[in-house]
């Protein structure tokens, strides 16, 4: 189950990064507005939704044990509202922390599942919400934010330090002990994008399925960090709000009705000749070419994005993008236009031998900057062609690596407090855990689009 739940209470005095002397099997809840030293009594049992098999509806179950703590960095919270996500019906487990939200990405631990009255969460996966946000708005944020932040910050290496001192995940993960990261995601976390290929302000990012909640947060974070954004979406349904939204609005909105034409529009507007009108800034990082894309729909649309990343003639990111080298970026005077950027060695003013030969002959082989395609729900069936790197989002970093989880939630707190990130639109609010199956059916039928469906628990 993937979900977010808005919660009203914080357990463990001090809440994040502070150990508690209480026993792990005796959780204490503290109301934000409580002035008494007497904590409310936590029941021993609760009502939950359980999934007993694939392709079955969730079953409302009473008298289920309230989860217990396993370590002193966990908190117990009472669920108030749950934001439903597509993954909840595509692969039926979740949750969001004065008011607080708890963002659950640990789907293997049933104590952390959203569909229950009380949930346990690590303190580094909880987010303090500003008073201006409603429970429903808080419930709409969690998992989508984590997916967006990791997709951008790790998969394509975008540095968020310029945005309210956000995290630089690319650097952070390389500073951790090697065994901190699970073996099955080490490749994605540590070697999937070289440092010189990291996304930079001014680069283009295309998102197919631009009306989804994950796209909503991805567009917001990308814009804040200086990327130029393309949203491919159903313009008849979503064109008005996407084009006019204060924090989501893309630089280019493309109708998804005719995928081939959408690809042609992207190529015509982005893969231009670097004339300074959004088609390139000549910095050698491929800003005049589309190198970054994310898909929120599935394999078919991911395949169309792959076509958008291809250069005319089949190449990807190879024309006029500099000379292979090591170190910092420099410029060779008198070099042929479009091939003047080389990488200097660490020694100031010195060029690698290959670069010196290239300068002498004016016929150096251009460096190849790969294109990067992130699949949030799937990737093309075909293997990645030369010059393209496929990425899947290692979302479990959020709950398995405390340094990552805490960096992201503290940044989200600042973004919300300053109003730089806004919650997705709430399409509807249903009441009670028993309405979750109905809500998931509505999502399966495609009735929920361009916003979030929330279930109010209390």
């Amino acid at each position: 189950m993937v979900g977010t739940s808005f919660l009203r209470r914080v357990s463990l005095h001090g809440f994040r990064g502070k150990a508690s002397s209480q026993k792990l099997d005796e959780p204490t809840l503290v109301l934000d507005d409580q002035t008494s030293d007497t904590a409310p009594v936590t029941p021993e049992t609760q009502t939950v939704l359980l999934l007993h098999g694939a392709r079955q509806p969730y079953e409302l179950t009473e008298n289920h044990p309230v989860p217990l703590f396993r370590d002193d960095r966990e908190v117990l919270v009472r669920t108030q509202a749950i934001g439903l996500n597509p993954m909840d019906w595509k692969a039926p487990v979740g949750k969001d922390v004065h008011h607080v939200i708890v963002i659950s990405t640990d789907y293997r631990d049933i104590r952390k599942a959203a569909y229950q009255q009380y949930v346990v969460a690590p303190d580094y996966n909880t987010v303090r919400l500003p008073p201006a946000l409603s429970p429903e708005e808080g419930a709409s944020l969690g998992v989508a934010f984590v997916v967006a932040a990791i997709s951008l910050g790790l998969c394509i290496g975008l540095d968020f330090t310029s945005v309210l001192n956000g995290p630089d995940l690319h650097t952070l993960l390389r500073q951790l002990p090697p065994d901190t990261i699970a073996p099955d995601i080490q490749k994605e976390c540590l070697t999937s994008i070289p440092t010189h290929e990291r996304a930079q302000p001014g680069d283009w990012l295309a998102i197919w399925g631009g009306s989804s909640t994950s796209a909503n947060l991805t567009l917001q974070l990308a814009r804040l960090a200086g990327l130029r954004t393309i949203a491919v979406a159903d313009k008849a349904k979503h064109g008005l709000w996407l084009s006019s939204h204060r924090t989501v609005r893309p630089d280019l909105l493309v109708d998804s009705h005719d995928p081939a034409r959408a690809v042609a529009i992207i190529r015509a507007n982005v893969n231009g000749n670097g004339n300074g009108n959004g088609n390139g800034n000549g910095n050698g990082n491929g800003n005049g070419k589309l190198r970054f894309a994310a898909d929120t729909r599935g394999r078919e649309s991911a395949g169309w994005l792959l076509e958008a990343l291809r250069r005319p003639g089949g190449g990807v990111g190879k024309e006029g993008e500099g000379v292979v080298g090591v170190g910092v970026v420099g410029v060779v005077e008198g070099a042929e236009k479009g091939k003047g950027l080389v990488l200097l060695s660490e020694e100031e003013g010195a060029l690698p031998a290959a670069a010196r030969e290239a300068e002498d002959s004016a016929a150096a082989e251009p460096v190849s900057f790969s294109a990067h395609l992130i699949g949030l729900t799937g990737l093309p069936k075909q293997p990645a062609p030369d010059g393209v790197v496929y990425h899947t989002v290692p979302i479990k970093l959020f709950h398995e690596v405390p340094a990552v989880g805490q960096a992201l939630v503290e940044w989200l707190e600042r973004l919300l407090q300053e109003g730089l990130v806004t919650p997705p639109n709430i399409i509807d609010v249903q009441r009670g855990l028993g309405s979750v199956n109905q809500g998931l059916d509505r999502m399966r039928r495609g009735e929920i689009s361009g916003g979030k469906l929330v279930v109010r628990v209390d």
Side-chain angles (χ1 to χ4, degrees):
M1 171 170 49
V2 180
T4 58
S5 56
F6 179 90
L7 307 153
R8 198 183 181 105
R9 305 175 179 182
V10 183
S11 68
L12 295 181
H13 299 278
F15 147 37
R16 184 185 298 131
K18 297 180 180 179
S20 169
S21 60
Q22 96 185 74
K23 296 180 181 179
L24 297 185
D25 59 349
E26 297 178 357
T28 299
L29 296 179
V30 182
L31 284 170
D32 292 333
D33 55 356
Q34 184 174 329
T35 57
S36 170
D37 291 333
T38 303
V41 176
T42 304
E44 295 183 356
T45 62
Q46 60 171 329
T47 300
V48 303
L49 287 180
L50 295 179
L51 185 70
H52 294 284
R55 302 184 184 278
Q56 294 184 14
Y58 290 94
E59 182 177 312
L60 193 66
T61 305
E62 297 181 350
N63 299 318
H64 190 82
V66 170
L68 302 176
F69 295 153
R70 291 178 182 169
D71 62 59
D72 59 8
R73 294 209 66 176
E74 293 185 332
V75 297
L76 182 69
V77 290
R78 180 173 61 85
T79 307
Q80 190 170 3
I82 302 169
L84 304 186
N85 294 299
M87 189 60 69
D88 293 357
W89 64 263
K90 290 183 177 179
V93 107
K95 44 189 192 292
D96 268 346
V97 138
H98 197 150
H99 294 155
V100 296
I101 57 174
V102 175
I103 306 175
S104 173
T105 55
D106 189 356
Y107 316 134
R108 297 180 181 274
D109 189 344
I110 197 171
R111 302 175 310 133
K112 303 175 183 178
Y115 298 156
Q116 54 188 330
Q117 293 174 305
Y118 293 88
V119 296
V120 162
D123 56 12
Y124 53 85
N125 286 167
T126 62
V127 183
R128 299 178 191 270
L129 288 180
L133 287 185
S134 70
E136 290 76 16
E137 290 172 318
S140 71
L141 280 165
V143 174
F145 170 80
V146 174
V147 169
I150 294 180
S151 297
L152 296 173
L154 179 63
C155 296
I156 66 172
L158 189 59
D159 184 358
F160 292 117
T161 55
S162 64
V163 185
L164 297 183
N165 196 29
D168 178 359
L169 296 180
H170 182 89
T171 301
L172 172 62
L173 287 174
R174 284 156 177 77
Q175 295 173 340
L176 298 175
D179 59 354
T180 302
I181 304 170
D184 61 318
I185 60 171
Q186 284 186 1
K187 181 178 180 180
E188 180 65 61
C189 294
L190 300 176
T191 63
S192 64
I193 184 167
T195 298
H196 77 277
E197 290 191 5
R198 297 178 64 180
Q200 303 292 333
D203 282 335
W204 285 97
L205 169 72
I207 302 177
W208 204 294
S211 63
S212 70
T213 303
S214 55
N216 183 310
L217 272 297
T218 302
L219 286 166
Q220 292 191 62
L221 297 185
R223 292 183 75 231
L224 287 172
L227 296 189
R228 289 175 288 187
T229 57
I230 305 166
V232 184
D234 186 333
K235 291 180 70 173
K237 289 183 178 180
H238 308 295
L240 181 60
W241 76 264
L242 274 172
S243 61
S244 59
H245 198 284
R246 177 177 64 87
T247 59
V248 178
R249 183 179 65 251
D251 294 285
L252 178 63
L253 178 59
V254 182
D255 192 1
S256 62
H257 179 70
D258 184 340
R261 178 164 173 75
V263 170
I265 292 172
I266 293 172
R267 284 178 169 175
N269 282 272
V270 178
N271 295 336
N273 57 11
N275 60 9
N277 295 319
N279 292 324
N281 61 13
N283 69 359
N285 288 329
N287 285 2
K289 311 293 182 182
L290 177 64
R291 292 199 302 117
F292 304 109
D295 176 79
T296 72
R297 305 290 295 175
R299 283 187 171 183
E300 182 177 355
S301 51
W304 287 111
L305 269 181
L306 179 60
E307 290 302 311
L309 290 168
R310 293 180 184 272
R311 302 290 178 260
V316 182
K318 295 184 179 180
E319 291 187 7
E321 307 218 7
V323 179
V324 175
V326 180
V328 298
V329 175
V331 178
V332 179
E333 293 185 7
E336 181 180 350
K337 183 178 180 181
K339 296 184 179 179
L341 292 171
V342 301
L343 298 176
L344 301 176
S345 67
E346 296 292 341
E347 183 179 351
E348 184 177 357
L351 292 176
R356 288 196 300 271
E357 294 173 5
E359 183 183 5
D360 292 339
S361 64
E365 178 70 19
V367 70
S368 177
F369 283 83
S370 298
H372 297 265
L373 175 58
I374 307 168
L376 273 62
T377 59
L379 287 163
K381 291 183 179 180
Q382 67 185 93
D386 290 343
V388 178
V389 179
Y390 289 166
H391 296 266
T392 56
V393 182
I395 195 170
K396 68 179 184 179
L397 274 176
F398 181 68
H399 62 266
E400 288 189 350
V401 182
V404 172
Q406 188 153 336
L408 289 178
V409 300
E410 290 180 350
W411 185 43
L412 178 55
E413 290 175 353
R414 296 192 294 272
L415 291 170
L416 295 174
Q417 186 65 43
E418 297 298 324
L420 296 185
V421 163
T422 58
N425 181 42
I426 305 299
I427 294 179
D428 195 9
V429 179
Q430 298 186 173
R431 294 281 177 176
L433 281 174
S435 69
V436 166
N437 284 317
Q438 177 188 352
L440 297 178
D441 287 339
R442 293 176 63 187
M443 296 176 69
R444 186 182 294 110
R445 294 192 296 266
E447 297 175 9
I448 307 301
S449 178
K452 198 75 169 178
L453 177 63
V454 174
V455 172
R456 184 84 183 204
V457 175
D458 61 358

